[in-house]
């Protein structure tokens, strides 16, 4: 499993844009490839959940979405995904009233390449564990948390951790004269 201090390697997943419920709206596609080069200069909150159309997952997704503006205010892009395809994600948005016009990115990792790169696939079920990665603007992992399939997350805690990480990144308190880090 990749951990704090590791850099994201190349990956490509299909992103489902915020606010879309259909594969095309107003002449624009709902889909866009997301790679490690997407969102330059931004922090990324990458969270995984096991499957679309489940009972626990929407509560977490809605919890993250309620904080989306706060993540954006901190130059962080919020993106949640599973191994289900992009059409499943749109269908779930249409079917579940709380996911209608979801305000942050969803992603489909149908090959499991990102899940496997990060080492968060449940070996028995074959799906993603409930993993959360906070990745800085240089694509270096700054935080990892992984829960079992049946244990949800607290999105407020992820925001608190992001605040602490960004404060630490700006804090000169660990630097000695001459710029060396303690």
């Amino acid at each position: 499993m990749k951990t704090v201090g590791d850099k994201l390697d190349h990956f490509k997943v299909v992103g489902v844009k915020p606010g879309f419920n259909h594969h095309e709206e107003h002449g624009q596609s709902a889909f866009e490839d997301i790679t490690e080069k997407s969102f330059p200069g931004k922090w990324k909150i990458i969270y995984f959940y096991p499957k679309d159309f489940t009972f626990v997952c929407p509560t977490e997704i809605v919890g993250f979405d309620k904080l989306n503006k706060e993540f954006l205010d901190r130059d962080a892009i919020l993106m949640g995904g599973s191994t289900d395809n992009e059409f499943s994600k749109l269908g779930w948005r249409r079917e579940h009233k709380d996911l209608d016009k979801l305000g942050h990115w969803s992603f489909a990792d149908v090959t499991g390449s990102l899940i496997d790169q990060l080492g968060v696939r449940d070996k028995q079920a074959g799906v993603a564990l409930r993993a959360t990665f906070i990745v800085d603007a240089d694509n270096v992992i700054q935080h990892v948390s992984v829960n079992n399939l049946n244990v949800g997350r607290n999105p407020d805690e992820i925001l608190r951790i992001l605040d602490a990480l960004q404060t630490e990144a700006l804090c000169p308190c660990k630097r000695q004269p001459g710029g060396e880090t303690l």
Side-chain angles (χ1 to χ4, degrees):
M1 180 168 87
K2 286 206 180 238
T3 191
V4 172
D6 291 340
K7 196 161 186 149
L8 289 180
D9 294 328
H10 172 72
F11 71 88
K12 184 168 101 173
V13 295
V14 178
V16 180
K17 295 174 185 174
F20 281 75
N21 277 3
H22 300 279
H23 73 278
E24 186 176 310
E25 295 182 19
H26 309 292
Q28 288 190 5
S29 173
F31 309 129
E32 182 177 312
D33 287 343
I34 297 175
T35 71
E36 76 286 356
K37 294 179 182 175
S38 298
F39 316 112
K42 302 287 185 185
W43 287 63
K44 290 167 267 318
I45 311 302
I46 304 171
Y47 70 92
F48 296 93
Y49 54 88
K51 292 183 178 186
D52 296 350
F53 291 96
T54 59
F55 299 107
V56 175
C57 300
T59 59
E60 289 184 317
I61 295 168
V62 169
F64 275 113
D65 201 53
K66 286 180 180 176
L67 297 173
N68 188 45
K69 182 180 178 334
E70 294 195 52
F71 283 109
L72 291 172
D73 288 347
R74 290 158 174 83
D75 289 326
I77 301 297
L78 189 56
M79 45 199 246
S82 70
T83 56
D84 293 312
N85 72 34
E86 62 273 24
F87 297 103
S88 177
K89 292 180 186 336
L90 286 176
W92 199 18
R93 288 180 181 189
R94 289 190 304 268
E95 294 293 319
H96 196 291
K97 66 178 178 61
D98 294 333
L99 300 178
D100 182 48
K101 300 286 185 186
L102 188 69
H104 67 274
W105 287 87
S106 300
F107 66 88
D109 187 9
V110 294
T111 65
S113 62
L114 183 57
I115 288 166
D116 292 337
Q117 177 190 149
L118 296 172
V120 295
R121 185 187 295 268
D122 182 87
K123 291 178 179 142
Q124 291 180 342
V127 298
L129 294 165
R130 292 185 190 283
T132 308
F133 291 81
I134 299 178
V135 180
D136 70 18
D138 296 317
N139 279 332
V140 176
I141 297 168
Q142 297 297 327
H143 170 79
V144 178
S145 63
V146 182
N147 297 347
N148 206 338
L149 297 176
N150 61 345
V151 178
R153 287 164 281 214
N154 179 344
D156 289 304
E157 176 65 2
I158 302 304
L159 185 63
R160 185 198 67 78
I161 293 168
L162 176 64
D163 283 341
L165 289 168
Q166 289 183 334
T167 300
E168 179 67 21
L170 299 174
C171 177
C173 57
K174 286 195 167 186
R175 300 212 180 265
Q176 293 179 339
E180 294 177 5
T181 303
L182 293 177

